Amino acid sequence: MLSLSNTSLLAIAICFMVICLAVICLRVVSQLKAKQALKEELAQHDNFALGISFASEISVVIATVAFLFDEININAAQSNPLKMIVLIVLLFTFIKVGHLIHRKWILHRFNEEAAILKQNVCAALVDSGMLIANCIITLGLYSWSHTQGFSSLLIAFVSFFLLQTIFALDSKFREYRFARANQGASLQSNFNLENTSIGIRYAGKSIGLALAIYAGLASATFHSGKMVENLFTLALHCGTMWLLLYLLTTIIKLISLPNIDTALEIDHQDNIGIACIEFAVFSAIGYLLISMFSI
């Protein structure tokens, strides 16, 4: 029989109110980006790409608030509501900064926002995958450091940029492999061709890498007040998980897709089925790493 205490009901009510407030703010921002009512863009213009992007943003908002309320005792939140507000703002700030790094630096030759407004589903998948990935690593950073005080926040801040460097290197590696398999073609330029399967694969690899990094954070020890030790520990643990992710996914793909040229199927034939398999494999292996190493 379900039994909820008054404290649990209060926690659910507060959590839901925060989520509602955040979603309202998100809707206003999305309408400003679209330069018209969100209802018109989604319902009348059938902008599937914007729908995917908005859905991922709502998911990130709800998941972040739910994670934070699960981490913090409701009594502690009631006794120090300012701390709760600061933590929520910090988490969303880290997620947004990571998202901007992805848009303006990692994929600087591709305008994702403009492409999404032009109903480019591939762009929406790429952008949404990286937004979710940044949510995962931000929550992983909080679980790892449990930011208490300025010194811990500074370590988390620098560590965040170290993890963004890993994402940038991984993206460059993906671009290099794409160019090698397609006579020097640019992956970022191909996003404009609206190849949906390329977007699915890119999103899957981004989320899989984020889950692997979360596993690295979960297995690493946080050294309070020690910047160098923490950066070295993160580089070692997250770098190892990065390598394990590609090693294990390669083996699984060889077993599950024997004698199939996945690059040809996805890059040239827009094979959504093969892309979905790659998405599933990377995401599942990332979760497997969390299960194995976050003990």
Side-chain angles (χ1 to χ4, degrees), residues 46-207:
D46 295 332
N47 192 333
F48 189 26
L50 185 62
I52 293 172
S53 178
F54 191 53
S56 66
E57 290 174 344
I58 292 174
S59 299
V60 164
V61 166
I62 295 174
T64 302
V65 175
F67 175 89
L68 192 57
F69 271 84
D70 183 56
E71 286 284 309
I72 295 178
N73 183 280
I74 187 63
N75 293 325
Q78 284 182 290
S79 62
N80 195 351
L82 180 61
K83 177 184 176 182
M84 192 71 176
I85 294 171
V86 170
L87 280 175
I88 291 173
V89 171
L90 279 175
L91 286 176
F92 283 131
T93 300
F94 270 70
I95 293 170
K96 187 59 181 177
V97 168
H99 196 205
L100 288 175
I101 288 174
H102 169 70
R103 283 182 168 180
K104 305 300 182 183
W105 179 45
I106 298 177
L107 295 182
H108 61 92
R109 295 193 301 275
F110 178 58
N111 190 333
E112 291 164 296
E113 283 187 285
I116 290 170
L117 291 177
K118 292 178 181 177
Q119 303 188 18
N120 186 329
V121 173
C122 177
L125 291 167
V126 170
D127 194 56
S128 298
M130 204 61 193
L131 176 64
I132 294 170
N134 273 290
C135 174
I136 292 169
I137 65 168
T138 297
L139 300 183
L141 266 177
Y142 176 77
S143 295
W144 172 66
S145 63
H146 280 287
T147 306
Q148 301 288 339
F150 180 76
S151 62
S152 296
L153 179 60
L154 181 61
I155 291 171
F157 183 79
V158 176
S159 299
F160 178 76
F161 281 96
L162 172 65
L163 299 180
Q164 292 298 325
T165 302
I166 293 177
F167 267 105
L169 291 173
D170 183 75
S171 183
K172 294 302 176 186
F173 175 66
R174 288 187 242 171
E175 289 188 48
Y176 166 76
R177 292 186 66 184
F178 183 88
R180 190 179 64 177
N182 295 280
Q183 301 178 330
S186 168
L187 177 60
Q188 294 190 38
S189 297
N190 270 262
F191 290 151
N192 284 311
L193 301 179
E194 301 186 31
N195 185 329
T196 303
S197 61
I198 289 179
I200 294 172
R201 180 181 61 188
Y202 194 96
K205 289 186 175 182
S206 297
I207 293 172

Side-chain angles (χ1 to χ4, degrees), residues 254-268:
L254 287 173
I255 296 172
S256 60
L257 300 171
N259 303 318
I260 294 179
D261 187 343
T262 56
L264 175 65
E265 294 292 330
I266 293 174
D267 300 341
H268 297 284

